[in-house]
Amino acid sequence: DQVTGTLTDGALRAEMLGDRFAVPGETRKSPFAGKYTLIISDSGETSDSVAGDGYGAVTVDAVGTLRLNGALPDGTAISQEVPLSSGGVWPLYVSLYGGKGSLSGWIAFHRQASGDLAGRLRWIKPRAQQDKMFANGFTKTMSVLGSVYVPPTGGAGSTNPSRAAVAFSGGTLHELIANVVTLGDNQKITVVFDGGNKLKMNLAPATGLFSGSFVHPAAHNTTAFEGAWLQRLNLGSGHFPDAGRSGHVFFGGEARQTGHSDPSPAKR
């Protein structure tokens, strides 16, 4: 179920690896079929860390074809359609910035207490002074953590919705901005306390992605944010743009130790 080889131009050499894909028409359904959400965080291996997290919504169909849609911490959209190996290995590659950058690496699907998929990616962003975010460019190692996402079936609203924190940090913020919301049936978010920053937030029931806005206390402007909710881990993470950098948004209850770079407000 695997092929290996070597690719070379006579000077550079690269090893090749290919896993078997479940051929369409076979009766066996992919054991990884379903919906997932994921967050993409700076692994912290360099001093100039990126505070905000990227995110994505993933769908794996019955024969194992994977589709990704999301965004990196600088707001760059990412998408991919690729076969998932029969063993649950996802080869991720996305060309970025007009072919001058990329996002690449391996992600493995697994059912563990720490999540349902994980891996490490290399994010290459070229230097471009005209860019509004991270104009100096970089090459970074990013960590990926994901969770199964089961869309709600609808129905009556909960009489006891769960409470969650929404916190903003990083960027030009000098201190944590904390808010309190409730998460009810059909993923309805209701703001309970916004600390005067006029928080607005929505969680899309079909995808598990969230978005919203708040008033930045330093810039005094309405700032948009976005991210993904990891349903099984009961937490979400994302980013907002802030003076050429990205800030971090955390959404959830008590922060959990997951083996991934901890997205809780305390870390930021």
Side-chain angles (χ1 to χ4, degrees):
D1 290 338
Q2 196 172 76
V3 294
T4 60
T6 303
L7 180 67
T8 180
D9 62 358
L12 300 177
R13 178 186 177 94
E15 300 300 319
M16 301 177 65
L17 172 68
D19 289 317
R20 183 173 184 269
F21 170 53
V23 179
E26 291 185 350
T27 57
R28 186 178 69 88
K29 180 180 179 180
S30 170
F32 309 103
K35 291 190 173 187
Y36 303 80
T37 52
L38 59 84
I39 56 177
I40 305 171
S41 301
D42 191 336
S43 64
E45 295 181 355
T46 59
S47 58
D48 58 336
S49 62
V50 174
D53 287 346
Y55 67 89
V58 172
T59 301
V60 180
D61 67 17
V63 298
T65 300
L66 180 148
R67 295 173 178 84
L68 162 71
N69 286 285
L72 291 173
D74 65 349
T76 299
I78 55 174
S79 64
Q80 185 189 29
E81 180 174 332
V82 66
L84 184 66
S85 83
S86 57
V89 178
W90 169 12
L92 190 153
Y93 177 81
V94 181
S95 179
L96 302 171
Y97 315 113
K100 296 179 180 180
S102 63
L103 183 71
S104 62
W106 297 92
I107 299 175
F109 283 71
H110 56 252
R111 181 76 175 184
Q112 297 181 1
S114 60
D116 297 295
L117 58 91
R120 293 171 78 82
L121 303 174
R122 180 60 59 89
W123 178 18
I124 300 175
K125 180 176 174 62
R127 182 183 180 90
Q129 291 302 318
Q130 71 275 15
D131 284 1
K132 295 181 179 180
M133 299 279 286
F134 306 113
N136 290 329
F138 47 65
T139 296
K140 287 188 173 295
T141 300
M142 308 295 285
S143 298
V144 175
L145 177 66
S147 162
V148 165
Y149 180 74
V150 180
T153 56
S158 172
T159 57
N160 187 29
S162 59
R163 291 171 68 91
V166 179
F168 302 93
S169 59
T172 62
L173 294 175
H174 298 298
E175 59 184 18
L176 186 76
I177 299 176
N179 308 265
V180 179
V181 301
T182 58
L183 180 62
D185 287 354
N186 206 35
Q187 311 295 43
K188 179 177 175 57
I189 293 177
T190 302
V191 178
V192 177
F193 171 75
D194 71 0
N197 55 67
K198 298 182 180 179
L199 175 69
K200 295 180 180 179
M201 187 171 178
N202 176 68
L203 177 60
T207 63
L209 302 183
F210 65 80
S211 61
S213 66
F214 71 103
V215 174
H216 195 292
H220 305 292
N221 59 3
T222 299
T223 301
F225 65 88
E226 55 190 8
W229 170 250
L230 304 188
Q231 188 179 54
R232 195 161 72 84
L233 302 181
N234 194 34
L235 63 87
S237 193
H239 62 263
F240 61 90
D242 192 359
R245 293 174 284 173
S246 71
H248 178 251
V249 52
F250 168 81
F251 171 40
E254 181 180 355
R256 303 185 179 189
Q257 295 299 321
T258 62
H260 178 72
S261 59
D262 185 357
S264 67
K267 172 181 180 293
R268 307 293 174 170

